[in-house]
Amino acid sequence: MPELPEVETLRSGLSSRIIGKKIKDLIVLNDNSFLNYKKDSKHLIGSFINGVDRRAKLLIIKLSTNYNLFVHLKMTGQLVFVGKKRFGAGHPNDSFVGRLPDKSTRVEIIFDDGSKLYFNDQRKFGWMRIIADEDIKSFTFLNKLGPEPLEKEFTFDIFKSRIFKHPNANIKAVLLNQEVIAGIGNIYADESLWGAKIHPSSKVGNIAIAKLKNLYKEIIYILNLSIQKGGSSNRNYVNADGKKGSFTEFARVFRREKMECPRCSTIIIKIRVAGRGTHICPKCQKL
DNA sequence: CACTTGACCTGTCCGC
DNA sequence: TGCGGACAGGTCAAGT
């Protein structure tokens, strides 16, 4: 699902629902969805949830045992909390509109009050694993990540110097590279490039500084806007309540091929850049 | 080394 | 309606 705004929405939703709860049991329905769980589940079962953090697109659930549950949702992962009280599908007081587990459920975490956290993942790319506090700093995935774009330390100078390390790559590939900036994915790459009027295939070294400045501003603007809207609503993404966000209604190019550019009314087209489906206005975004 | 492409999986959609 | 192929919000390994 999930890029930075979706994972952030999920993080805040989970925070208010699971912090303080005690984990009673673990059911793993697909072995590869929870790495080393047979060895590590003892650090999970019986522990309390102390906090829910995020780094890039990775969720870090802090346990009272000095261990952490790492969750990466990749393309289709969902974490859905279902409270102990059920009112029936569609009831406004029911947290989840569907019935779980379903055939995409890979892991169930059961709390001692009877509530549950379901890890659903249609394509099985996502993963959960337990990492000890002292091993976090040597965890390769975290080590390599670039800066968080919504932190105030992320200045334009930092942005510029980091992307200029890849002068011959196209700008979209660089935005998607988590080692350069953390958290941007296919939706927000397309949206921010449209906002800055930059063609996604532009070589980084060929882009005017004024346009890069606009891109920097667009990235921050669009990520904040999406968080405000509760993330996107495409395909598999749902929040901690199993509900969709509304950002995609505000998207200006993403999945809007054959529709009009909101800026100049030219028909938006879909191309392929960096191996990904890419949406552009051919008039606003020229090479 | 810098950069690009393919593989990982399951499900859905589109054209014939 | 059935079938084949392309494609889906990410990341890593293998390729050029």
Side-chain angles (χ1 to χ4, degrees), chain A residues 60-256:
Chain A
I60 300 174
I61 299 176
K62 306 191 77 61
L63 305 173
S64 57
T65 47
N66 298 322
Y67 284 81
N68 305 269
L69 173 61
F70 281 15
V71 187
H72 202 303
L73 301 164
K74 290 287 185 80
M75 299 282 261
T76 57
Q78 308 175 330
L79 277 182
V80 180
F81 175 78
V82 177
K84 56 183 172 178
K85 282 200 170 180
R86 299 303 308 273
F87 298 88
H91 190 284
N93 289 336
D94 196 323
S95 63
F96 183 66
V97 294
R99 184 179 296 246
L100 290 174
D102 65 20
K103 67 178 180 178
S104 76
T105 301
R106 309 303 178 199
V107 178
E108 299 178 32
I109 292 172
I110 300 159
F111 298 106
D112 73 346
D113 64 0
S115 57
K116 295 182 181 179
L117 187 63
Y118 293 91
F119 177 36
N120 303 328
D121 185 19
Q122 179 185 105
R123 293 174 73 180
K124 301 182 179 173
F125 292 165
W127 48 263
M128 292 179 143
R129 61 182 297 178
I130 302 287
I131 300 290
D133 284 349
E134 67 259 32
D135 294 332
I136 288 181
K137 57 184 171 299
S138 58
F139 192 68
T140 310
F141 178 88
L142 286 177
N143 280 340
K144 295 192 302 189
L145 289 172
E148 287 289 325
L150 296 184
E151 296 198 344
K152 48 181 174 297
E153 294 77 20
F154 183 68
T155 61
F156 175 63
D157 284 345
I158 299 274
F159 170 72
K160 190 175 61 171
S161 70
R162 293 190 73 86
I163 67 170
F164 275 162
K165 287 177 184 166
H166 307 271
N168 297 311
N170 64 60
I171 183 64
K172 178 158 177 176
V174 174
L175 291 181
L176 293 175
N177 182 345
Q178 304 296 294
E179 299 177 30
V180 178
I181 305 164
I184 299 172
N186 207 33
I187 298 176
Y188 304 102
D190 280 7
E191 289 295 310
S192 58
L193 288 165
W194 178 89
K197 300 186 182 181
I198 296 170
H199 193 289
S201 299
S202 305
K203 271 178 64 170
V204 168
N206 292 342
I207 304 172
I209 296 294
K211 283 202 168 184
L212 285 181
K213 185 112 196 177
N214 289 336
L215 179 58
Y216 165 79
K217 291 179 189 164
E218 282 293 330
I219 289 167
I220 293 168
Y221 164 76
I222 207 71
L223 293 176
N224 276 321
L225 176 66
S226 183
I227 290 171
Q228 193 188 317
K229 301 298 178 190
S232 66
S233 56
N234 266 312
R235 298 177 186 263
N236 299 284
Y237 170 69
V238 294
N239 65 16
D241 280 340
K243 292 178 179 163
K244 291 172 180 299
S246 69
F247 171 76
T248 322
E249 298 161 28
F250 299 86
R252 300 158 303 185
V253 282
F254 189 77
R255 295 231 168 99
R256 289 178 55 83

